[in-house]
Amino acid sequence: MKKKALASLCVAAVAALALAGCGTGGQGTASGEKVTIKYTNFISNGGNEKNLDTIVQAFEKENPNITVQVTTLPYNAYGTTLQTDLAAGTQADTFDVEYANLKSYVANGTIAPLDGVDASKYRQSLLKSYQSDGKQYALPTSFSDVVLYYNKALFDAAHLSYPNANWTWADETAAAQKLTNPATGVFGDFQNISFYEFYKAIAQAGGKFLSDDGKSAAFNSPAGIKAANWLANKSGTTMPTPAQGAGTPDFDTKLFKDGKLAMLHTGIWVASSLADSPKDWDIAVEPGDTQKDSAMFSNAVAVSAASKNKDAAQKWAAYLSSSQVMAQTRISAGWELPPTSDESVLKPYLNQGKPANRQAVFDALNNVVLPPSIGENQQKMTDIITNALGEIAAKRSNAADALKAAADQVNALLK
């Protein structure tokens, strides 16, 4: 899913959920009794409803005593609907969750810990992102990550080597400066100056966004200052300013399609929209400063703690997240990527043409940094950081002062 869809859902009403009656209840399937489980999702909205139905039908064929009742909602309505259902105790047996909300769900007892998960079926970095205190609370259903796109024709014209796995920030900066040409309107680089790039850049610089106990901000550090300057200093030098269009929806991808951008930091979801424009392009794992770290985004499915059919619900969750039918359906439909550990299933994706280096999508998972999660104040924290970075980019504040002020605001949210 797109990065903008990774904004945290509002779960303030979760605390009001009455957990009385959250016992296991009758499981039904062991004795052959038929049960119906409800699944509320946003992952199939917008064109993949039939693909989800393919998975449901295959599951029901293998499990004739279990019927899956699906409710599909648009993402922008999902948070409000789930919040209302949680407060009323009427949520579905299984429902979609995102990493940023996991802590709130666990803390409020909304979702049930899962037993007997076959961990070998999943990519470990994805599976572990939905664990808390050593317990598995959700199963990843798909993933996407951020890579570095580059226009090979522009590199060739400048007689520069293409980005590779050994590149650092210094290499990217040097190339971007040589590739930027104001006379032809070509920019060397584009990376959003936002929270979602900043937390990753801190990790690439060897720092941390939050303290180890998660109770205080740690981004106002030398690594944080370096990360903020890495992003902000691109504006007006190797990438356009907001006045030149940066910040306008899809401006960066349009610039890349028009052959006016040499490098672009964005997610794998963009690849399908590029087709043959520009004519010759590829991707690489993003450069780091002191180390490699890539942003990974995923969706997952959880079992409600209030479900009366937890065994059947977990069986469905496991099928939705790890079955061969699910993986093959996703690959053939281009519906994000399955979290499978089975490389043979992924081979068709690797051989689908542009970008040629599709392996970079999986190589990026070797070093993953997840977005810091603080619960119901997630969006406020995101806005604080993005605003601070904007002040630095506009040169209205230096990085040290802006991050100190932002840290004070984030610490107030953490109290």
Side-chain angles (χ1 to χ4, degrees), residues 252-295:
D252 51 348
T253 52
K254 183 180 186 303
L255 203 63
F256 191 77
K257 289 178 180 180
D258 291 343
K260 297 295 184 179
L261 180 61
M263 291 180 285
L264 171 63
H265 294 254
T266 192
I268 62 172
W269 52 82
V270 169
S272 62
S273 70
L274 293 178
D276 291 326
S277 181
K279 291 183 178 180
D280 203 3
W281 59 276
D282 209 343
I283 61 174
V285 176
E286 286 185 295
D289 182 38
T290 63
Q291 63 192 48
K292 293 280 189 178
D293 273 297
S294 298

mmCIF file of all heavy atoms in Angstrom, residues 252-295:
data_model
loop_
_atom_site.group_PDB
_atom_site.id
_atom_site.type_symbol
_atom_site.label_atom_id
_atom_site.label_comp_id
_atom_site.label_asym_id
_atom_site.label_seq_id
_atom_site.Cartn_x
_atom_site.Cartn_y
_atom_site.Cartn_z
ATOM 1 N N ASP A 252 6.894 14.141 -7.602
ATOM 2 C CA ASP A 252 8.174 13.461 -7.747
ATOM 3 C C ASP A 252 8.128 12.377 -8.823
ATOM 4 O O ASP A 252 9.043 12.260 -9.642
ATOM 5 C CB ASP A 252 8.635 12.877 -6.408
ATOM 6 C CG ASP A 252 7.557 12.042 -5.730
ATOM 7 O OD1 ASP A 252 6.389 12.094 -6.162
ATOM 8 O OD2 ASP A 252 7.879 11.339 -4.750
ATOM 9 N N THR A 253 7.052 11.578 -8.833
ATOM 10 C CA THR A 253 6.967 10.519 -9.842
ATOM 11 C C THR A 253 6.765 11.103 -11.236
ATOM 12 O O THR A 253 7.274 10.565 -12.218
ATOM 13 C CB THR A 253 5.830 9.537 -9.522
ATOM 14 O OG1 THR A 253 4.610 10.258 -9.313
ATOM 15 C CG2 THR A 253 6.141 8.732 -8.276
ATOM 16 N N LYS A 254 6.032 12.206 -11.334
ATOM 17 C CA LYS A 254 5.859 12.854 -12.638
ATOM 18 C C LYS A 254 7.198 13.355 -13.159
ATOM 19 O O LYS A 254 7.529 13.204 -14.346
ATOM 20 C CB LYS A 254 4.870 14.014 -12.551
ATOM 21 C CG LYS A 254 4.600 14.677 -13.913
ATOM 22 C CD LYS A 254 3.609 15.820 -13.786
ATOM 23 C CE LYS A 254 3.241 16.371 -15.167
ATOM 24 N NZ LYS A 254 4.422 16.820 -15.942
ATOM 25 N N LEU A 255 7.989 13.930 -12.270
ATOM 26 C CA LEU A 255 9.308 14.435 -12.644
ATOM 27 C C LEU A 255 10.181 13.285 -13.146
ATOM 28 O O LEU A 255 10.889 13.417 -14.148
ATOM 29 C CB LEU A 255 9.954 15.108 -11.432
ATOM 30 C CG LEU A 255 11.055 16.157 -11.679
ATOM 31 C CD1 LEU A 255 10.494 17.357 -12.440
ATOM 32 C CD2 LEU A 255 11.642 16.603 -10.341
ATOM 33 N N PHE A 256 10.091 12.145 -12.459
ATOM 34 C CA PHE A 256 10.877 10.979 -12.863
ATOM 35 C C PHE A 256 10.392 10.447 -14.213
ATOM 36 O O PHE A 256 11.188 10.124 -15.094
ATOM 37 C CB PHE A 256 10.785 9.893 -11.789
ATOM 38 C CG PHE A 256 11.769 8.767 -11.973
ATOM 39 C CD1 PHE A 256 13.101 8.924 -11.627
ATOM 40 C CD2 PHE A 256 11.370 7.546 -12.489
ATOM 41 C CE1 PHE A 256 14.017 7.890 -11.793
ATOM 42 C CE2 PHE A 256 12.264 6.505 -12.665
ATOM 43 C CZ PHE A 256 13.598 6.686 -12.308
ATOM 44 N N LYS A 257 9.086 10.373 -14.391
ATOM 45 C CA LYS A 257 8.521 9.894 -15.653
ATOM 46 C C LYS A 257 8.916 10.794 -16.825
ATOM 47 O O LYS A 257 9.111 10.316 -17.952
ATOM 48 C CB LYS A 257 6.994 9.827 -15.564
ATOM 49 C CG LYS A 257 6.451 8.730 -14.673
ATOM 50 C CD LYS A 257 4.935 8.793 -14.635
ATOM 51 C CE LYS A 257 4.350 7.720 -13.751
ATOM 52 N NZ LYS A 257 2.869 7.783 -13.701
ATOM 53 N N ASP A 258 9.022 12.082 -16.562
ATOM 54 C CA ASP A 258 9.352 13.043 -17.615
ATOM 55 C C ASP A 258 10.844 13.075 -17.935
ATOM 56 O O ASP A 258 11.279 13.854 -18.796
ATOM 57 C CB ASP A 258 8.890 14.452 -17.224
ATOM 58 C CG ASP A 258 7.375 14.591 -17.198
ATOM 59 O OD1 ASP A 258 6.692 13.716 -17.776
ATOM 60 O OD2 ASP A 258 6.877 15.559 -16.591
ATOM 61 N N GLY A 259 11.628 12.252 -17.249
ATOM 62 C CA GLY A 259 13.063 12.220 -17.505
ATOM 63 C C GLY A 259 13.814 13.407 -16.938
ATOM 64 O O GLY A 259 14.930 13.706 -17.363
ATOM 65 N N LYS A 260 13.199 14.071 -15.947
ATOM 66 C CA LYS A 260 13.811 15.260 -15.360
ATOM 67 C C LYS A 260 14.336 15.006 -13.945
ATOM 68 O O LYS A 260 14.702 15.943 -13.251
ATOM 69 C CB LYS A 260 12.782 16.402 -15.307
ATOM 70 C CG LYS A 260 12.298 16.864 -16.675
ATOM 71 C CD LYS A 260 13.429 17.490 -17.486
ATOM 72 C CE LYS A 260 12.927 18.049 -18.807
ATOM 73 N NZ LYS A 260 14.026 18.674 -19.600
ATOM 74 N N LEU A 261 14.379 13.749 -13.558
ATOM 75 C CA LEU A 261 14.854 13.410 -12.212
ATOM 76 C C LEU A 261 15.756 12.186 -12.305
ATOM 77 O O LEU A 261 15.351 11.150 -12.841
ATOM 78 C CB LEU A 261 13.662 13.130 -11.286
ATOM 79 C CG LEU A 261 13.974 12.757 -9.848
ATOM 80 C CD1 LEU A 261 14.731 13.886 -9.151
ATOM 81 C CD2 LEU A 261 12.684 12.459 -9.090
ATOM 82 N N ALA A 262 16.963 12.304 -11.779
ATOM 83 C CA ALA A 262 17.942 11.213 -11.894
ATOM 84 C C ALA A 262 17.736 10.128 -10.841
ATOM 85 O O ALA A 262 17.891 8.938 -11.133
ATOM 86 C CB ALA A 262 19.358 11.764 -11.796
ATOM 87 N N MET A 263 17.383 10.512 -9.609
ATOM 88 C CA MET A 263 17.204 9.537 -8.530
ATOM 89 C C MET A 263 15.965 9.892 -7.714
ATOM 90 O O MET A 263 15.676 11.066 -7.493
ATOM 91 C CB MET A 263 18.441 9.508 -7.619
ATOM 92 C CG MET A 263 19.677 8.919 -8.268
ATOM 93 S SD MET A 263 21.123 8.895 -7.142
ATOM 94 C CE MET A 263 21.594 10.643 -7.169
ATOM 95 N N LEU A 264 15.275 8.861 -7.271
ATOM 96 C CA LEU A 264 14.033 9.034 -6.527
ATOM 97 C C LEU A 264 13.926 7.994 -5.432
ATOM 98 O O LEU A 264 13.992 6.797 -5.694
ATOM 99 C CB LEU A 264 12.831 8.921 -7.476
ATOM 100 C CG LEU A 264 11.443 8.855 -6.859
ATOM 101 C CD1 LEU A 264 11.129 10.131 -6.086
ATOM 102 C CD2 LEU A 264 10.391 8.615 -7.937
ATOM 103 N N HIS A 265 13.753 8.450 -4.201
ATOM 104 C CA HIS A 265 13.514 7.558 -3.069
ATOM 105 C C HIS A 265 12.009 7.358 -2.920
ATOM 106 O O HIS A 265 11.286 8.288 -2.557
ATOM 107 C CB HIS A 265 14.045 8.175 -1.765
ATOM 108 C CG HIS A 265 15.524 8.327 -1.696
ATOM 109 N ND1 HIS A 265 16.321 7.508 -0.928
ATOM 110 C CD2 HIS A 265 16.364 9.212 -2.301
ATOM 111 C CE1 HIS A 265 17.587 7.875 -1.057
ATOM 112 N NE2 HIS A 265 17.637 8.916 -1.882
ATOM 113 N N THR A 266 11.527 6.168 -3.205
ATOM 114 C CA THR A 266 10.092 5.903 -3.031
ATOM 115 C C THR A 266 9.847 4.404 -2.986
ATOM 116 O O THR A 266 10.773 3.602 -3.106
ATOM 117 C CB THR A 266 9.261 6.579 -4.142
ATOM 118 O OG1 THR A 266 7.876 6.546 -3.785
ATOM 119 C CG2 THR A 266 9.455 5.866 -5.472
ATOM 120 N N GLY A 267 8.591 4.039 -2.815
ATOM 121 C CA GLY A 267 8.241 2.640 -2.600
ATOM 122 C C GLY A 267 8.093 1.836 -3.869
ATOM 123 O O GLY A 267 7.959 2.371 -4.970
ATOM 124 N N ILE A 268 8.071 0.529 -3.697
ATOM 125 C CA ILE A 268 7.969 -0.374 -4.839
ATOM 126 C C ILE A 268 6.599 -0.281 -5.505
ATOM 127 O O ILE A 268 6.433 -0.741 -6.639
ATOM 128 C CB ILE A 268 8.259 -1.822 -4.429
ATOM 129 C CG1 ILE A 268 7.233 -2.317 -3.397
ATOM 130 C CG2 ILE A 268 9.668 -1.950 -3.878
ATOM 131 C CD1 ILE A 268 7.344 -3.803 -3.098
ATOM 132 N N TRP A 269 5.638 0.331 -4.816
ATOM 133 C CA TRP A 269 4.304 0.467 -5.408
ATOM 134 C C TRP A 269 4.317 1.396 -6.631
ATOM 135 O O TRP A 269 3.408 1.362 -7.442
ATOM 136 C CB TRP A 269 3.315 0.995 -4.365
ATOM 137 C CG TRP A 269 3.759 2.248 -3.668
ATOM 138 C CD1 TRP A 269 3.660 3.524 -4.116
ATOM 139 C CD2 TRP A 269 4.386 2.323 -2.388
ATOM 140 N NE1 TRP A 269 4.186 4.402 -3.202
ATOM 141 C CE2 TRP A 269 4.632 3.693 -2.123
ATOM 142 C CE3 TRP A 269 4.746 1.384 -1.419
ATOM 143 C CZ2 TRP A 269 5.238 4.140 -0.943
ATOM 144 C CZ3 TRP A 269 5.349 1.825 -0.250
ATOM 145 C CH2 TRP A 269 5.592 3.183 -0.020
ATOM 146 N N VAL A 270 5.353 2.215 -6.768
ATOM 147 C CA VAL A 270 5.434 3.141 -7.891
ATOM 148 C C VAL A 270 5.805 2.424 -9.187
ATOM 149 O O VAL A 270 5.443 2.862 -10.283
ATOM 150 C CB VAL A 270 6.468 4.251 -7.589
ATOM 151 C CG1 VAL A 270 6.773 5.084 -8.828
ATOM 152 C CG2 VAL A 270 5.964 5.145 -6.470
ATOM 153 N N ALA A 271 6.511 1.305 -9.088
ATOM 154 C CA ALA A 271 7.067 0.641 -10.270
ATOM 155 C C ALA A 271 6.018 0.342 -11.334
ATOM 156 O O ALA A 271 6.259 0.548 -12.530
ATOM 157 C CB ALA A 271 7.782 -0.640 -9.853
ATOM 158 N N SER A 272 4.854 -0.124 -10.916
ATOM 159 C CA SER A 272 3.839 -0.519 -11.896
ATOM 160 C C SER A 272 3.297 0.661 -12.690
ATOM 161 O O SER A 272 2.751 0.481 -13.773
ATOM 162 C CB SER A 272 2.685 -1.241 -11.191
ATOM 163 O OG SER A 272 2.051 -0.379 -10.255
ATOM 164 N N SER A 273 3.469 1.870 -12.174
ATOM 165 C CA SER A 273 2.936 3.047 -12.873
ATOM 166 C C SER A 273 3.935 3.659 -13.845
ATOM 167 O O SER A 273 3.576 4.531 -14.634
ATOM 168 C CB SER A 273 2.522 4.116 -11.855
ATOM 169 O OG SER A 273 3.663 4.681 -11.223
ATOM 170 N N LEU A 274 5.171 3.201 -13.802
ATOM 171 C CA LEU A 274 6.194 3.822 -14.643
ATOM 172 C C LEU A 274 6.190 3.291 -16.069
ATOM 173 O O LEU A 274 6.463 4.021 -17.015
ATOM 174 C CB LEU A 274 7.581 3.623 -14.020
ATOM 175 C CG LEU A 274 7.814 4.351 -12.694
ATOM 176 C CD1 LEU A 274 9.196 4.038 -12.153
ATOM 177 C CD2 LEU A 274 7.644 5.853 -12.859
ATOM 178 N N ALA A 275 5.907 1.987 -16.214
ATOM 179 C CA ALA A 275 5.911 1.360 -17.548
ATOM 180 C C ALA A 275 7.211 1.692 -18.274
ATOM 181 O O ALA A 275 8.277 1.398 -17.794
ATOM 182 C CB ALA A 275 4.688 1.798 -18.339
ATOM 183 N N ASP A 276 7.124 2.331 -19.427
ATOM 184 C CA ASP A 276 8.326 2.661 -20.201
ATOM 185 C C ASP A 276 8.694 4.133 -20.119
ATOM 186 O O ASP A 276 9.355 4.689 -21.005
ATOM 187 C CB ASP A 276 8.128 2.270 -21.664
ATOM 188 C CG ASP A 276 8.075 0.763 -21.841
ATOM 189 O OD1 ASP A 276 8.778 0.065 -21.097
ATOM 190 O OD2 ASP A 276 7.322 0.299 -22.708
ATOM 191 N N SER A 277 8.269 4.783 -19.075
ATOM 192 C CA SER A 277 8.582 6.198 -18.927
ATOM 193 C C SER A 277 9.181 6.447 -17.545
ATOM 194 O O SER A 277 8.497 6.286 -16.540
ATOM 195 C CB SER A 277 7.308 7.034 -19.079
ATOM 196 O OG SER A 277 7.587 8.404 -18.968
ATOM 197 N N PRO A 278 10.480 6.808 -17.472
ATOM 198 C CA PRO A 278 11.422 6.981 -18.582
ATOM 199 C C PRO A 278 11.769 5.639 -19.218
ATOM 200 O O PRO A 278 11.472 4.590 -18.663
ATOM 201 C CB PRO A 278 12.650 7.597 -17.896
ATOM 202 C CG PRO A 278 12.586 7.072 -16.509
ATOM 203 C CD PRO A 278 11.126 7.006 -16.164
ATOM 204 N N LYS A 279 12.439 5.691 -20.373
ATOM 205 C CA LYS A 279 12.659 4.475 -21.146
ATOM 206 C C LYS A 279 13.569 3.472 -20.448
ATOM 207 O O LYS A 279 13.389 2.265 -20.565
ATOM 208 C CB LYS A 279 13.222 4.833 -22.521
ATOM 209 C CG LYS A 279 12.211 5.537 -23.421
ATOM 210 C CD LYS A 279 12.791 5.797 -24.799
ATOM 211 C CE LYS A 279 11.740 6.451 -25.703
ATOM 212 N NZ LYS A 279 12.273 6.726 -27.055
ATOM 213 N N ASP A 280 14.582 3.955 -19.735
ATOM 214 C CA ASP A 280 15.565 3.055 -19.153
ATOM 215 C C ASP A 280 15.816 3.433 -17.700
ATOM 216 O O ASP A 280 16.418 4.476 -17.418
ATOM 217 C CB ASP A 280 16.877 3.124 -19.953
ATOM 218 C CG ASP A 280 17.705 1.856 -19.780
ATOM 219 O OD1 ASP A 280 17.235 0.938 -19.097
ATOM 220 O OD2 ASP A 280 18.817 1.812 -20.328
ATOM 221 N N TRP A 281 15.331 2.611 -16.786
ATOM 222 C CA TRP A 281 15.479 2.896 -15.367
ATOM 223 C C TRP A 281 15.612 1.598 -14.599
ATOM 224 O O TRP A 281 15.339 0.511 -15.100
ATOM 225 C CB TRP A 281 14.277 3.692 -14.843
ATOM 226 C CG TRP A 281 12.956 2.990 -15.024
ATOM 227 C CD1 TRP A 281 12.189 2.986 -16.146
ATOM 228 C CD2 TRP A 281 12.263 2.171 -14.062
ATOM 229 N NE1 TRP A 281 11.048 2.221 -15.947
ATOM 230 C CE2 TRP A 281 11.073 1.704 -14.678
ATOM 231 C CE3 TRP A 281 12.533 1.803 -12.755
ATOM 232 C CZ2 TRP A 281 10.157 0.882 -14.026
ATOM 233 C CZ3 TRP A 281 11.624 0.978 -12.095
ATOM 234 C CH2 TRP A 281 10.444 0.528 -12.721
ATOM 235 N N ASP A 282 16.049 1.711 -13.349
ATOM 236 C CA ASP A 282 16.200 0.535 -12.504
ATOM 237 C C ASP A 282 16.128 0.976 -11.054
ATOM 238 O O ASP A 282 15.911 2.163 -10.759
ATOM 239 C CB ASP A 282 17.521 -0.182 -12.802
ATOM 240 C CG ASP A 282 17.451 -1.683 -12.525
ATOM 241 O OD1 ASP A 282 16.523 -2.128 -11.820
ATOM 242 O OD2 ASP A 282 18.329 -2.411 -13.011
ATOM 243 N N ILE A 283 16.317 0.041 -10.143
ATOM 244 C CA ILE A 283 16.271 0.338 -8.712
ATOM 245 C C ILE A 283 17.474 -0.278 -8.010
ATOM 246 O O ILE A 283 18.114 -1.198 -8.517
ATOM 247 C CB ILE A 283 14.978 -0.184 -8.048
ATOM 248 C CG1 ILE A 283 14.881 -1.707 -8.181
ATOM 249 C CG2 ILE A 283 13.754 0.512 -8.625
ATOM 250 C CD1 ILE A 283 13.706 -2.315 -7.417
ATOM 251 N N ALA A 284 17.761 0.250 -6.826
ATOM 252 C CA ALA A 284 18.824 -0.286 -5.977
ATOM 253 C C ALA A 284 18.405 -0.107 -4.531
ATOM 254 O O ALA A 284 17.511 0.693 -4.219
ATOM 255 C CB ALA A 284 20.137 0.454 -6.236
ATOM 256 N N VAL A 285 19.021 -0.864 -3.637
ATOM 257 C CA VAL A 285 18.805 -0.648 -2.203
ATOM 258 C C VAL A 285 19.301 0.752 -1.865
ATOM 259 O O VAL A 285 20.335 1.205 -2.365
ATOM 260 C CB VAL A 285 19.558 -1.700 -1.366
ATOM 261 C CG1 VAL A 285 19.411 -1.405 0.123
ATOM 262 C CG2 VAL A 285 19.036 -3.095 -1.676
ATOM 263 N N GLU A 286 18.573 1.462 -1.021
ATOM 264 C CA GLU A 286 18.958 2.827 -0.676
ATOM 265 C C GLU A 286 20.336 2.873 -0.007
ATOM 266 O O GLU A 286 20.672 2.003 0.798
ATOM 267 C CB GLU A 286 17.945 3.427 0.298
ATOM 268 C CG GLU A 286 16.619 3.806 -0.310
ATOM 269 C CD GLU A 286 15.743 4.505 0.706
ATOM 270 O OE1 GLU A 286 15.354 3.864 1.696
ATOM 271 O OE2 GLU A 286 15.453 5.693 0.521
ATOM 272 N N PRO A 287 21.115 3.908 -0.330
ATOM 273 C CA PRO A 287 22.390 4.090 0.361
ATOM 274 C C PRO A 287 22.161 4.413 1.834
ATOM 275 O O PRO A 287 21.101 4.916 2.216
ATOM 276 C CB PRO A 287 23.019 5.292 -0.363
ATOM 277 C CG PRO A 287 22.324 5.354 -1.681
ATOM 278 C CD PRO A 287 20.918 4.891 -1.406
ATOM 279 N N GLY A 288 23.165 4.139 2.652
ATOM 280 C CA GLY A 288 23.131 4.529 4.048
ATOM 281 C C GLY A 288 24.327 5.399 4.358
ATOM 282 O O GLY A 288 25.168 5.633 3.485
ATOM 283 N N ASP A 289 24.394 5.869 5.580
ATOM 284 C CA ASP A 289 25.545 6.656 6.004
ATOM 285 C C ASP A 289 26.557 5.733 6.684
ATOM 286 O O ASP A 289 27.492 5.266 6.062
ATOM 287 C CB ASP A 289 25.098 7.774 6.940
ATOM 288 C CG ASP A 289 26.256 8.658 7.377
ATOM 289 O OD1 ASP A 289 27.148 8.937 6.544
ATOM 290 O OD2 ASP A 289 26.301 9.064 8.553
ATOM 291 N N THR A 290 26.314 5.398 7.948
ATOM 292 C CA THR A 290 27.195 4.450 8.632
ATOM 293 C C THR A 290 26.714 3.014 8.480
ATOM 294 O O THR A 290 27.458 2.077 8.740
ATOM 295 C CB THR A 290 27.289 4.768 10.134
ATOM 296 O OG1 THR A 290 25.990 4.617 10.731
ATOM 297 C CG2 THR A 290 27.779 6.189 10.350
ATOM 298 N N GLN A 291 25.449 2.846 8.066
ATOM 299 C CA GLN A 291 24.893 1.508 7.910
ATOM 300 C C GLN A 291 23.698 1.534 6.968
ATOM 301 O O GLN A 291 23.166 2.595 6.650
ATOM 302 C CB GLN A 291 24.470 0.942 9.264
ATOM 303 C CG GLN A 291 23.360 1.736 9.950
ATOM 304 C CD GLN A 291 23.172 1.332 11.395
ATOM 305 O OE1 GLN A 291 24.117 1.230 12.160
ATOM 306 N NE2 GLN A 291 21.922 1.080 11.772
ATOM 307 N N LYS A 292 23.289 0.355 6.513
ATOM 308 C CA LYS A 292 22.110 0.213 5.657
ATOM 309 C C LYS A 292 20.870 0.024 6.520
ATOM 310 O O LYS A 292 20.876 -0.745 7.477
ATOM 311 C CB LYS A 292 22.261 -1.002 4.741
ATOM 312 C CG LYS A 292 23.358 -0.881 3.699
ATOM 313 C CD LYS A 292 22.900 -0.056 2.515
ATOM 314 C CE LYS A 292 23.905 -0.126 1.386
ATOM 315 N NZ LYS A 292 23.464 0.635 0.212
ATOM 316 N N ASP A 293 19.809 0.709 6.170
ATOM 317 C CA ASP A 293 18.508 0.498 6.797
ATOM 318 C C ASP A 293 17.439 0.925 5.808
ATOM 319 O O ASP A 293 17.540 2.011 5.224
ATOM 320 C CB ASP A 293 18.369 1.295 8.097
ATOM 321 C CG ASP A 293 18.912 0.542 9.301
ATOM 322 O OD1 ASP A 293 18.361 -0.528 9.609
ATOM 323 O OD2 ASP A 293 19.885 1.012 9.906
ATOM 324 N N SER A 294 16.445 0.087 5.627
ATOM 325 C CA SER A 294 15.377 0.373 4.681
ATOM 326 C C SER A 294 14.032 0.433 5.399
ATOM 327 O O SER A 294 13.804 -0.295 6.365
ATOM 328 C CB SER A 294 15.322 -0.701 3.588
ATOM 329 O OG SER A 294 16.525 -0.734 2.850
ATOM 330 N N ALA A 295 13.161 1.297 4.911
ATOM 331 C CA ALA A 295 11.818 1.395 5.465
ATOM 332 C C ALA A 295 10.946 0.299 4.871
ATOM 333 O O ALA A 295 10.927 0.098 3.661
ATOM 334 C CB ALA A 295 11.214 2.758 5.156
#
